[in-house]
Each structure stands twice: as C-alpha cells, then as structure tokens.
Amino acid sequence: MGLELNTEEKAMLNGDYGIATKKAMEIITTLGTIYGAERLIPISSVQIAGVSYHNLGEAGLEYLDEMAEDGTTQVLTTLNPAGMDLEEWKKHGISEDFAENQQRVVDAFSKMGVVTTCTCTPYLIGNLPHYGEHIAWAESSAVCFANSVIGARTNREGGPSALAAALTGRTAEYGLHLEKNRNAQITYEIEANIEETDDFGLLGQVIGERTGNKIPYITGIEHASTEELKSFGASVATFGGVAIYHMEGITPNRTTIPEETEIVTKDELESARVKLDDEDADIDFISIGCPHASIKEIARVAEILKGKKIAAGKTVWITTARPTKDLARKMGYYDIIENAGAYLVSDACCAVAPLKGRFTGLMTDSAKACFYARGKNDFRTKIRTVEECLEEAIK
Ligand code: F3S
C-alpha cells in the first residue's frame, strides 16, 4: 500500500495553498514514499536546524527567500543557533558582513512566522511537547532529548524537511513516529560513577561509538539532571546515530529490555576523556553551554565567577537561548558574568559561529563541542567539569 493523502494534503500538493506549501508537500511526500509511509500525520511543533549563515551560505539563503515568498508556518516553530548573538554580536568579534547576512537568514524565517529564538534547547524556553506528541525536529541533540526524555516522537529531520513540516503542519508517518521502531535493541550496564555534565558527555561518546544506530537501554545510572541528560543526548547523537535511548528509572518510554548486554567501565570513560584531550592544547577559549545552558547552569557559572576576572588572553563564551539570557539579566547573573570579563552569548554557539582561526585551544564540559571544535574549527580540545573550565579561565 502506497502513501495516501487526504483531500487537504492533495490540495497542498496541487498548489492550492501556494508555491512554498506545494514545494514543502513535495519534500514530505517524497520522504514518505522513500521510507514506506502509508499516510501523513499532523505535527504540533517544529525545530529547524541549519540557521547559521556560516553553514547555509548564499544558496541556502536563496532557498529560504523563495520559501518565504508565500510560505507560512502552521505550527509552533523555533530555530537552532545562528552564527552570532543577534544583539551583542559586535562585542564578540563578529564582522559587519557576517552580521548582515545572518540577519537576512533570520528575517527570512521571521517572514514565514518562525519564532526566531535561536537555540538547540527549545524545550527549555517554551517549545515543549508532551509525551506521545508527534513533532518534527532537526537538531540532533534536541531530537534525542525529545524522543528519550520527553517521550515525544520525531525523526531526525534535515533543515529542509523540518521547514516543510512547519509549512504544512504534517510529516510522513515512518521511523520513530511508529511505536514498533522505538524499542531498545541493546543493553548497556554502566559500572562507573557518572556525575557531572562532562561525565555524561563522555558516556554518550562511549555508547554512541559502540552502538551506532542501535537503540540503547541503559542501566546503572541512579540520578541524572535535565542538564546532564541534554549533555548525554547531544553526545550519543554526535558520536553515534542515536535519536532515542532508554535509561532505566529515568526516561518514560515503554520498551522491552534487550538480552544482549554490554558493560561500560570507568576505564572506558577515562579512555574517552583521553581521546578528547589534546596534550598540546594551548587553551585560549573556554565555552560552556553545549547544548545551550539552562538558567540553573548560568546561575552556577555566575556563582563561580562572582568577583573574579578572566585571565588575559582567554575568551569565555557561555552560550544560551535569548529568553534565558533575558532571565539571567533580571537575576543579575549577566552582570556578574560580564563584569568578570566572560560573555553570556545568546542565539549562537561555539560550533556554528565563524570562529575558525580566532582561537587555538578549546576547554569545555561538552563532548559534542569538542567534536565540532576539532572537525570544523581545527581547535585542540580538553574536556573538564564546569568548575575546572572556569578555573582555567581565571587562572
Ligand atoms: Fe547546540 Fe551548538 Fe552544541 S547547536 S548542541 S550548542 S554544537
């Protein structure tokens, strides 16, 4: 049985709702046909990735401008980080040229009705689906969080397919939208103390590298905060192809427990740390907030930096969503952090901002940030706890 469309969907495909909607429907039905979907389903939330002008370039921007001619979002839609803080970009060393182009990208999305908070943690600032809800998100760390921690249902969308879902309010029913594809496939027993965000990132690295696309069922974790789970999800999605995991006693999804079991030891986590640590790294850049920092993480950074000064030759970025930055201003955290000489950067992150050539060594608590710092920016890296990162910044 092939993909069947209802009357409204056929009209969208026919062009009755405009050119952008027609193009969007073509993308969705093509994907649905490729993956054997039998129908389209309504979605309630979209998260679009591929927002930085650094990654999009002129060709990407041209496509967005075309879609913005007559396209309008049908559901709540938010954006992944852009290449700069949309308000304070100048003081972060971003060029006028880049800023102008980045603003054109954001304007195109805005014209379509996208809520232009640029963050990879939309669930912290109001784009928060509930258990079982069908959504279409593109950012891999957010996809992992949504499927696993919230129990919402999304495939790992690409930028264009997420936009297509936003413009039609639909996605094709295949992959992780179907209960049968969400079952765990391999059990990982953790025999190590996993405590801080960097540990959870390293655990994500170990499991991601081992599991590939297999859905992990993880046992042996007694407690995990939202911040630790976002770090784990970002990492397991980066180092493997994981879009959903189950963590015993912590995540809400129903699953059978796989018999095939592998142990993860303390030594393996240490080896993962060694892999991300470049001995010759000369640290001149420290970044916290990958995925984007919560208000709780920012409060902790402010507490550590209170009355301190960032050392000469070091740059510190704490990256977060704009609404969280606004809240941090209200709470006085912004002033404490900026008076210390660090930057509270919203809308952007150290992986998608145009930073290549500006720094040589990154210290961070995020395994994912290390991965991209090496791959995209040629930085040397070190992964440490948040405290250790900030100690490095002020020493
Ligand atoms: Fe978010 Fe950028 Fe990290 S998009 S997950 S802060 S690499």
Side-chain angles (χ1 to χ4, degrees), residues 80-81 120 139 141 234 289-292 319 349 351 368 372:
N80 220 32
C120 50
E139 155 57 29
S141 70
C290 169
H292 271 177
T319 52
C349 83
K368 177 174 178 176
Y372 282 105

Side-chain angles (χ1 to χ4, degrees), residues 96-111:
E96 297 265 355
D97 258 10
F98 183 87
E100 200 177 298
N101 287 325
Q102 183 62 73
Q103 195 55 54
R104 286 165 62 213
V105 173
V106 172
D107 290 347
F109 280 119
S110 181
K111 196 173 163 200

